[in-house]
């Protein structure tokens, strides 16, 4: 999921968006529809986290948006928990033709509170509730969640609510624009509260050789085990996640400005997802 348009701008803003919701509610379809202006009908479940980015115009402001599209499976809760930190926006989704996905919103908010350390609805990040598949009755025999129910749930938690259809494109731009505007407002507010920041004139710092080495290995290693520096026969879930966290600290594009960091982070995320899936399959 990569739809970068290659735009580079000296005053570009960066925001990170995390998608949440039950498996199969259409999180990936929404993101692809927005970024690539196309609808992917075939359902391919996300394994762990899928990462992609694009540059958009938000009310005349150039913004680099980084999407972290999560798997809704309970198997990947530990993986998801590593990505809540430093997010500016949350896309919380449910399927209007699947009532169980709507009921599960309470559980998703509980997970969100737990990972953000919040005891109320004052999240500190922008959250938009998004109802999907408004274009079809689906295999479940029609719509199971009314617009009033969805909006009422969102209102109780003081959250915006948008109905969408990735197939038709309706509501998609509205949902993401609402999320981006709120995320930027929060980010600007946090930046404005920090005093003493420098406004320029700093010398570019030399890139750490360890970072260069990590980027090269992640983008050139022939297999996932080598990318993470793991032994294929003895690797464990803990070792995979430990290696991931160590390398992510080096090449995460929000912190690392070295050439190739974004591609390296994508390769790292995909390698970790592949290895976790392989472990799951071999232990079943």
């Amino acid at each position: 999921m990569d739809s970068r348009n290659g735009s580079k701008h000296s005053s570009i803003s960066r925001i990170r968006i995390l998608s949440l919701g039950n498996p199969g509610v259409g999180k990936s379809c929404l993101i692809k529809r927005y970024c690539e202006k196309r609808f992917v009908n075939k359902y391919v479940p996300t394994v762990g986290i899928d990462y992609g980015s694009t540059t958009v115009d938000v009310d005349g402001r150039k913004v680099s948006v980084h999407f972290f599209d999560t798997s809704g499976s309970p198997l990947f809760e530990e993986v998801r928990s590593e990505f809540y930190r430093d997010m500016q926006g949350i896309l919380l989704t449910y399927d209007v033709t699947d009532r169980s996905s709507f009921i599960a919103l309470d559980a998703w908010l509980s997970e969100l509170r737990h990972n953000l350390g919040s005891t109320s609805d004052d999240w500190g990040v922008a959250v938009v509730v998004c109802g999907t598949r408004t274009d079809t009755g689906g295999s479940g025999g029609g719509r199971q969640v009314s617009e009033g129910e969805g909006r009422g749930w969102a209102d109780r938690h003081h959250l915006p609510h948008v109905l969408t259809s990735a197939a038709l494109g309706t509501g998609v731009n509205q949902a993401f624009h609402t999320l981006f505007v709120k995320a930027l407002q929060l980010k600007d507010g946090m930046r404005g509260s920090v005093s003493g920041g420098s406004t320029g004139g700093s010398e570019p710092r030399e890139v750490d050789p360890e970072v260069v080495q990590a980027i090269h290995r992640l983008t050139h290693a022939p297999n996932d085990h080598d990318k993470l520096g793991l032994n294929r026969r003895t690797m464990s879930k803990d070792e995979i996640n430990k290696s991931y966290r160590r390398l992510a600290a080096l090449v995460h594009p929000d912190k690392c400005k070295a050439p190739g960091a974004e591609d390296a982070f994508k390769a790292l995320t995909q390698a970790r997802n592949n290895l976790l899936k392989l472990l799951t399959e071999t232990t079943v």
Side-chain angles (χ1 to χ4, degrees):
M1 179 187 65
D2 186 5
S3 58
R4 292 169 292 169
N5 64 11
S7 174
K8 300 289 183 183
H9 195 279
S10 59
S11 61
I12 196 168
S13 300
R14 295 166 64 91
I15 56 175
R16 295 171 294 274
I17 303 297
L18 189 73
S19 67
L20 293 180
N22 275 14
V25 296
K27 300 185 293 292
S28 301
C29 286
L30 278 179
I31 295 173
K32 282 188 177 293
R33 179 57 141 166
Y34 179 78
C35 294
E36 303 175 16
K37 312 305 179 189
R38 66 188 180 99
F39 174 61
V40 181
N41 190 40
K42 183 179 180 181
Y43 173 57
V44 180
T46 299
V47 178
I49 300 284
D50 189 12
Y51 169 76
S53 64
T54 189
T55 301
V56 299
D57 184 281
V58 181
D59 297 338
R61 180 175 179 179
K62 193 72 70 176
V63 181
S64 176
V65 183
H66 298 258
F67 292 100
F68 296 82
D69 183 23
T70 70
S71 168
S73 169
L75 294 173
F76 295 103
E77 182 176 355
E78 182 179 345
V79 175
R80 286 194 305 271
S81 67
E82 298 174 15
F83 289 84
Y84 283 92
R85 185 177 299 177
D86 297 328
M87 290 290 154
Q88 281 77 49
I90 305 290
L91 186 71
L92 182 59
T93 58
Y94 70 96
D95 179 352
V96 301
T97 70
D98 178 6
R99 189 163 189 83
S100 64
S101 71
F102 175 68
I103 294 172
L105 290 179
D106 287 325
W108 285 110
L109 279 195
S110 294
E111 181 176 309
L112 183 60
R113 285 194 185 96
H114 174 74
N115 283 280
L116 294 180
S118 174
T119 57
S120 67
D121 288 347
D122 183 16
W123 311 109
V125 298
V127 182
V128 170
V129 182
C130 189
T132 65
R133 295 203 174 94
T134 58
D135 57 286
T136 176
S139 58
R143 187 162 181 159
Q144 299 179 10
V145 182
S146 71
E147 180 177 358
E149 284 181 293
R151 195 171 303 281
W153 186 92
D155 286 346
R156 285 194 298 276
H157 296 282
H158 312 291
L159 299 173
H161 177 264
V162 183
L163 293 178
T164 65
S165 165
L168 300 179
T170 55
V172 177
N173 286 342
Q174 179 189 351
F176 283 102
H177 183 266
T178 301
L179 184 57
F180 297 162
V181 168
K182 289 176 66 67
L184 287 168
Q185 288 173 344
L186 283 170
K187 183 174 183 178
D188 290 345
M190 292 177 66
R191 183 187 296 120
S193 66
V194 179
S195 61
S198 174
T199 58
S202 58
E203 293 281 335
R205 292 180 294 178
E206 183 179 349
V207 178
D208 188 331
E210 187 179 5
V211 171
V212 175
Q213 183 180 34
I215 290 174
H216 184 271
R217 187 172 77 223
L218 287 165
T219 54
H220 290 83
N223 57 61
D224 295 328
H225 309 86
D226 288 346
K227 289 182 195 297
L228 270 69
L230 298 172
N231 185 306
R232 182 171 192 160
R233 292 189 176 90
T234 61
M235 68 175 184
S236 65
K237 181 179 178 181
D238 286 342
E239 288 176 325
I240 292 171
N241 286 326
K242 182 179 179 180
S243 179
Y244 170 84
R245 287 190 290 269
R246 179 179 64 82
L247 290 168
L250 293 174
V251 304
H252 196 293
D254 287 333
K255 299 178 181 178
C256 178
K257 305 306 179 184
E262 188 165 313
D263 288 337
F265 182 68
K266 289 176 62 178
L268 170 63
T269 300
Q270 188 60 57
R272 195 269 292 269
N273 291 345
N274 290 344
L275 292 177
L276 288 175
K277 183 180 180 183
L278 179 64
L279 272 186
T280 301
E281 292 173 345
T282 56
T283 55
V284 172

